[in-house]
Amino acid sequence: MSLLSRLERALGRFAIPDLSLYLVLGQLAVLGFALLGHFNVERIALRPEAVLAGEFWRPLTFIFVPPVTTVTMTGAIFLAFGWYIFYLMGGALEQHWGVFRYNAFLFLGWALTVAAAFVTPGAYASNAYVAGTVFLAFAYLNPDFVMYIFFILPVKIKWLALLAWIGYGFTFITGTWSDRLMVLASVGNFLVFFSRDIVLSLRSGKRRMAWQAQSFGSQNSEREPRHRCHVCGKTDVSHPQLDFRYCSKCAGDECYCAEHIFNHEHVVADTAGRK
């Protein structure tokens, strides 16, 4: 049993359902009070120097700092859209992993961000990278999900995720040390949850390349699939246009197509042993 499974058994009853919704509502409330002039958002932002001076609430409250504190009509539309997307993706991850594991994903992102912030205590830390890691996780699990840029142009989310990774790389190269540490915190959170899946995919890709080379050399026209959905049986041979993913919550190396990566019963250890 994995460490995360043991933690879920011990602490699962403390998990908070719909955590994404509460984060969005918290940011909305803070923005509302700020616009009314009743609240100074800086008082809850994460600045480690202020924490060390006794303002102990900042590591907890900075997640409720809204992306902006002044809003135009156009800005309000995009802000509402951004909150909706975060809620949508967070809900999908919660449905896929379960409440506890999604809580753990957000908690780890928060913890890594706070830890990174204290390396450069004079700078403010942003919660945008915590939201960014949710986006990257959703895009990795559901690469063919279509988003509409400016509500018109359809783009598969995997290409937007590629742009996000490029942006992270650019920030890491050209940004301040505080920016670089925030990027590392976000990427670290992603890798903790997806490194196993990435390794399995790379190994499968290498086996597939080796098989293709052998098949080409022997002029063998028959091709064995390397990815087969555990639910519907679709393969990379029968449906080469599909993306296949491995579920980190299932026991064994269970592969699923894009349709069933979010919609399947997880394979437990004893069931995997009898397949």
Side-chain angles (χ1 to χ4, degrees):
M1 183 182 295
S2 66
L3 173 61
L4 193 57
S5 297
R6 291 195 294 268
L7 289 174
E8 186 172 6
R9 281 193 172 186
L11 304 173
R13 62 184 181 276
F14 300 112
I16 304 172
D18 296 319
L19 184 55
S20 298
L21 177 61
Y22 294 131
L23 293 176
V24 170
L25 291 177
Q27 291 190 9
L28 180 61
V30 169
L31 178 61
F33 284 117
L35 293 176
L36 292 173
H38 301 315
F39 190 73
N40 182 7
V41 177
E42 193 279 333
R43 292 288 294 167
I44 65 172
L46 178 55
R47 190 166 182 260
E49 281 185 346
V51 178
L52 296 174
E55 298 180 3
F56 56 86
W57 60 85
R58 289 177 180 264
L60 297 175
T61 58
F62 88 100
I63 58 175
F64 296 112
V65 174
V68 295
T69 55
T70 58
V71 180
T72 63
M73 181 61 69
T74 302
I77 295 175
F78 284 98
L79 183 60
F81 181 71
W83 276 331
Y84 170 73
I85 290 298
F86 175 76
Y87 168 72
L88 175 71
M89 294 181 178
L93 291 176
E94 183 176 303
Q95 182 181 8
H96 174 65
W97 280 328
V99 175
F100 177 81
R101 294 188 180 222
Y102 178 60
N103 277 208
F105 181 74
L106 286 181
F107 175 81
L108 180 60
W110 165 84
L112 290 174
T113 299
V114 171
F118 274 85
V119 178
T120 55
Y124 284 96
S126 171
N127 59 26
Y129 291 96
V130 178
T133 196
V134 171
F135 171 78
L136 293 177
F138 179 86
Y140 183 80
L141 289 172
N142 200 14
D144 291 324
F145 179 83
V146 176
M147 293 186 65
Y148 289 86
I149 306 301
F150 301 114
F151 308 102
I152 299 175
L153 180 64
V155 179
K156 287 188 177 182
I157 199 172
K158 60 184 177 183
W159 303 121
L160 298 178
L162 177 61
L163 291 177
W165 280 112
I166 293 173
Y168 273 19
F170 182 79
T171 299
F172 187 81
I173 294 173
T174 64
T176 64
W177 273 108
S178 178
D179 295 330
R180 293 169 181 167
L181 290 169
M182 293 297 104
V183 169
L184 289 177
S186 181
V187 173
N189 187 33
F190 176 87
L191 291 178
V192 166
F193 276 75
F194 292 103
S195 58
R196 174 177 174 269
D197 185 15
I198 293 172
V199 170
L200 288 174
S201 297
L202 289 175
R203 288 178 178 174
S204 178
K206 289 182 179 179
R207 290 196 298 267
R208 181 178 178 180
M209 291 177 63
W211 180 88
Q212 288 178 337
Q214 181 180 1
S215 175
F216 180 78
S218 62
Q219 298 297 317
N220 183 3
S221 61
E222 296 182 359
R223 178 183 171 191
E224 293 294 328
R226 292 301 175 184
H227 301 287
R228 184 185 300 275
C229 179
H230 184 67
V231 175
C232 64
K234 292 178 181 177
T235 70
D236 56 322
V237 175
S238 62
H239 296 77
Q241 76 280 7
L242 293 182
D243 286 300
F244 292 86
R245 292 282 181 263
Y246 293 86
C247 178
S248 60
K249 196 173 180 180
C250 288
D253 301 338
E254 300 302 339
C255 182
Y256 298 93
C257 66
E259 178 183 355
H260 293 111
I261 186 64
F262 284 114
N263 182 25
H264 67 269
E265 293 185 5
H266 297 295
V267 178
V268 296
D270 57 342
T271 304
R274 293 197 300 265
K275 291 190 303 172

